[in-house]
Amino acid sequence: MKLLSLEFFKCRRRKIVLVCAAVLAVELMWMLTFFTRQDEEDMQWGWMLLLYNLSMVDAIVLPLSVATLASRSCELEHRGSTWKLLETMAAPDSLYAAKLGWGALVLAALLSIRTGLFTGLGLAVGFPGPVPWGRLGLFTLVSWAVSMMAYALQQGLSLRFANQAAALVCGIAGSFLGILSMLFPPALTRCVPWGYYGLLALVGMNWDEMTRVTDFYWRWPQLTDIALLLVWGTAFLLLGRAMFLKKEV
Amino acid sequence: MNIIETDGLCKQYGAALRVSHLNLRVPEGSVYGFLGPNGAGKSTTLKMLLGLVRPTAGNIRVLGKSMDGANRLSVLRQVGSLIESPSYYGHLTGEENLRIVQTLRDVPEKDIREVLEIVRLEGQRDKKVAHYSLGMKQRLGLAAALLGYPKLLILDEPTNGLDPAGIQEMRELICGLPERFGMTVVVSSHLLSEIDQMADHVAIIREGELVFQDSLSALHSRSRHHLALRTTNNPVARLLMAEKEISCHEEEGYLILPILADEDAARLTVFFAERRLGLLRLEERQKSLEDIFLELTGKAASL
């Protein structure tokens, strides 16, 4: 706990709030632009339309956002050559865990606020039907879980390489692959870590080629995909941790 | 009692043995100078003492306890360190930086003010460290190492990059620590003069090997005066001096013998003359510390 609270202390003046605000602003602007282009009939899909599109926006925006947050947290240690000081006072695996814990809490806060923001938007726009609180909660959890998997990868890279370019390029590639993988067949999408934003989406879409009518439906994430997400996350975590522990300061 | 003991300490990187079978003995309460040219293996050794680098072979005992994975951190609670360049968070103030160390070491909050006063940074505590000069960063690093007043302080080239005034100030701070707080200080440097002014014990390392370890006075005793003489027949002169029980050895055509009283030197020249041995040169010489360092390390004193 001491190390975790110090992570927040160390991130003072690191403009973490600004980074999170920028993420929210981009998602909000994206969705507002999208909604203004929909006709009244499409808007009747309300909450489903919101969550379907938010999955896509997540796949584009969150990989780079996650990379940026991990980089902001890890770079300050490289820049100040602080590992050789910290490791005389704390075990390296505890330092690794504290950084991961910081990322988990920041992402949880960011995504919870994001859900609150879009729930407010849905109510303001007047989506039909009751607010699907359970689905919104589950969507937040899925976004967080996929983001944490990506965070484990990004933290591993940001800790391993003092130059943050490698980690940020990985984040940019993730944003690109995240959206592109939605066009892949599911078996291939499962091979792309950032593709799980789409794979675990809570809303599916049918498009009838004959009638050119689109309809949406609720769906549940498949257990296979959840298990694979855990495998990816665990692999990134163990690999990143092993690389960090192996590195001598 | 020795506060640090190493036995057969080695570190190998690839095929290169960077630290080779070091047997260090650091007496408690001393200022122990760890001297060697750049690249001799000083920082690697100090990092091994702190458990930051894993030794390839050998044992380390600090404060009487073995420095293995299990008790490394409990031992290090009584050790302060400043390794190579200072560690700091540039976006935080000096006081905030120390608060991180204070929290991790679990020492009283009042220590922050005290150590800032000791290193004379109390006026700069609210300034971001990114705006500190190098000397101020070094002093902040020393303040962080002093938090909790550890029994042992390990400082790796603490005067590196400082201007002459900063070097003088840092030196005074370090020299006063054993007396003021009962600390043992291990300080590394590539400058002989610096160690000469700070340390009371000294170890000299060359290409990873320990070539000297003793008190500074023992090192100074190597620089005592001696006589150098050259005769028309040095081998015969050696035999004659052996007769008189005067120890000597030959160096570059000169016979080197301990300093003699004036009367003894006069008697020796007469003795040579009686044996028809011509005396070509008789010189009084003194080895400087630099000569000794050069002899031990094969490099100039400040390389």
Side-chain angles (χ1 to χ4, degrees):
Chain A
M1 278 310 285
K2 197 194 288 179
L3 281 171
L4 183 59
S5 64
L6 278 179
E7 285 304 316
F8 283 92
F9 186 80
K10 284 191 276 188
C11 283
R12 283 177 168 196
R13 305 185 199 102
R14 289 288 290 168
K15 300 186 173 67
I16 301 298
V17 173
L18 194 65
V19 171
C20 293
V23 174
L24 293 174
V26 168
E27 289 209 337
L28 195 62
M29 277 166 59
W30 194 304
M31 292 302 284
L32 281 173
T33 311
F34 172 76
F35 284 137
T36 52
R37 289 179 180 171
Q38 305 304 304
D39 56 32
E40 209 161 301
E41 198 182 334
D42 291 332
M43 290 301 279
Q44 289 308 304
W45 289 106
W47 298 107
M48 280 193 197
L49 191 66
L50 172 75
L51 289 187
Y52 181 81
N53 283 287
L54 212 44
S55 297
M56 281 200 300
V57 176
D58 274 1
I60 300 166
V61 175
L62 289 185
L64 182 57
S65 309
V66 164
T68 308
L69 286 171
S71 173
R72 299 291 294 170
S73 162
C74 301
E75 188 203 16
L76 55 89
E77 312 290 358
H78 293 299
R79 192 180 280 190
S81 310
T82 52
W83 296 119
K84 58 182 188 275
L85 174 68
L86 293 175
E87 290 189 15
T88 59
M89 299 180 287
D93 52 351
S94 305
L95 294 170
Y96 185 87
K99 290 237 171 266
L100 201 69
W102 177 87
L105 290 177
V106 169
L107 283 171
L110 169 67
L111 295 171
S112 300
I113 292 169
R114 193 271 309 264
T115 300
L117 203 64
F118 281 104
T119 306
L121 178 73
L123 289 169
V125 172
F127 286 159
V131 179
W133 293 110
R135 303 267 181 185
L136 285 169
L138 183 61
F139 179 76
T140 310
L141 186 65
V142 166
S143 298
W144 178 81
V146 180
S147 299
M148 275 313 292
M149 178 263 290
Y151 193 87
L153 166 67
Q154 293 297 151
Q155 177 168 307
L157 290 171
S158 287
L159 289 179
R160 178 66 187 81
F161 303 106
N163 186 335
Q164 296 301 300
L168 291 174
V169 165
C170 178
I172 293 167
S175 286
F176 177 70
L177 287 171
I179 190 66
L180 196 69
S181 67
M182 287 184 165
L183 306 173
F184 298 165
L188 198 56
T189 310
R190 289 187 179 106
C191 301
V192 180
W194 304 275
Y196 284 75
Y197 287 109
L199 271 177
L200 297 174
L202 299 183
V203 179
M205 183 186 74
N206 281 324
W207 185 66
D208 191 322
E209 204 175 346
M210 299 292 285
T211 59
R212 293 183 166 267
V213 170
T214 304
D215 63 69
F216 295 91
Y217 58 92
W218 291 114
R219 70 175 193 185
W220 296 103
Q222 287 183 28
L223 277 177
T224 323
D225 293 335
I226 295 171
L228 282 171
L229 175 71
L230 281 173
V231 169
W232 276 108
T234 310
F236 287 143
L237 195 140
L238 293 178
L239 200 67
R241 184 176 169 277
M243 283 197 304
F244 178 66
L245 297 187
K246 197 180 163 201
K247 193 178 173 186
E248 289 181 338
V249 296
Chain B
M1 183 204 159
N2 293 320
I3 202 160
I4 296 176
E5 288 185 2
T6 70
D7 292 303
L9 190 64
C10 297
K11 181 64 188 178
Q12 191 165 352
Y13 289 109
L17 193 59
R18 304 300 295 271
V19 174
S20 174
H21 305 95
L22 285 194
N23 299 317
L24 297 179
R25 299 287 180 267
V26 179
E28 192 169 2
S30 62
V31 175
Y32 184 91
F34 194 41
L35 186 63
N38 288 332
K42 300 185 297 292
S43 295
T44 308
T45 304
L46 297 184
K47 283 180 181 176
M48 283 195 283
L49 295 180
L50 293 165
L52 298 173
V53 167
R54 283 176 284 277
T56 309
N59 300 308
I60 301 169
R61 289 181 73 79
V62 177
L63 294 150
K65 288 179 186 166
S66 176
M67 279 289 281
D68 51 32
N71 59 6
R72 185 182 82 94
L73 288 176
S74 69
V75 172
L76 290 180
R77 287 177 70 82
Q78 298 177 73
V79 181
S81 61
L82 173 58
I83 298 293
E84 292 169 337
S85 53
S87 301
Y88 61 90
Y89 298 101
H91 62 289
L92 299 179
T93 65
E95 190 171 352
E96 285 168 343
N97 269 270
L98 292 179
R99 194 163 298 282
I100 291 171
V101 179
Q102 175 250 325
T103 308
L104 283 171
R105 294 183 82 102
D106 206 14
V107 297
E109 208 173 319
K110 67 172 178 57
D111 283 14
I112 294 177
R113 287 284 172 94
E114 289 175 7
V115 295
L116 279 170
E117 274 174 32
I118 292 169
V119 300
R120 291 167 218 136
L121 273 180
E122 66 270 35
Q124 311 291 329
R125 67 174 194 267
D126 294 325
K127 196 170 162 181
K128 280 188 193 175
V129 178
H131 301 147
Y132 278 19
S133 68
L134 180 60
M136 288 159 74
K137 285 175 187 162
Q138 286 284 52
R139 280 189 279 152
L140 182 71
L142 183 61
L146 286 172
L147 271 172
Y149 303 102
K151 286 182 180 169
L152 171 64
L153 209 56
I154 295 178
L155 307 173
D156 185 15
E157 308 245 8
T159 57
N160 241 4
L162 301 186
D163 58 22
I167 290 173
Q168 177 68 22
E169 197 175 8
M170 184 64 87
R171 194 183 291 146
E172 280 170 11
L173 274 169
I174 292 167
C175 287
L177 293 173
E179 200 180 316
R180 286 175 75 185
F181 307 110
M183 292 175 185
T184 304
V185 185
V186 174
V187 56
S188 80
S189 178
H190 60 276
L191 298 169
L192 174 66
S193 58
E194 197 166 272
I195 294 298
D196 192 28
Q197 290 175 67
M198 280 193 284
D200 46 46
H201 283 74
V202 63
I204 300 177
I205 184 173
R206 180 189 64 184
E207 291 172 3
E209 289 179 8
L210 194 63
V211 290
F212 179 86
Q213 179 176 235
D214 209 329
S215 64
L216 189 69
S217 53
L219 184 67
H220 275 281
S221 71
R222 289 199 174 198
S223 69
R224 65 183 181 269
H225 291 252
H226 55 262
L227 287 178
L229 61 88
R230 193 146 65 92
T231 65
T232 49
N233 192 337
N234 280 352
V236 172
R238 284 186 79 163
L239 290 171
L240 291 173
M241 281 195 284
E243 248 177 60
K244 291 275 178 192
E245 293 180 343
I246 299 172
S247 65
C248 72
H249 65 277
E250 196 162 354
E251 258 181 29
E252 296 169 354
Y254 278 83
L255 293 171
I256 309 296
L257 53 150
I259 195 79
L260 298 175
D262 289 350
E263 308 81 58
D264 293 334
R267 269 198 288 273
L268 184 66
T269 53
V270 172
F271 179 62
F272 282 160
E274 285 169 358
R275 299 291 188 281
R276 298 189 168 278
L277 199 64
L279 188 62
L280 304 174
R281 294 281 187 280
L282 177 60
E283 300 164 7
E284 187 176 327
R285 289 182 182 173
Q286 185 189 14
K287 267 190 187 172
S288 66
L289 273 184
E290 278 77 9
D291 292 332
I292 296 162
F293 185 81
L294 187 64
E295 215 173 78
L296 291 168
T297 65
K299 295 197 178 182
S302 63
L303 285 181

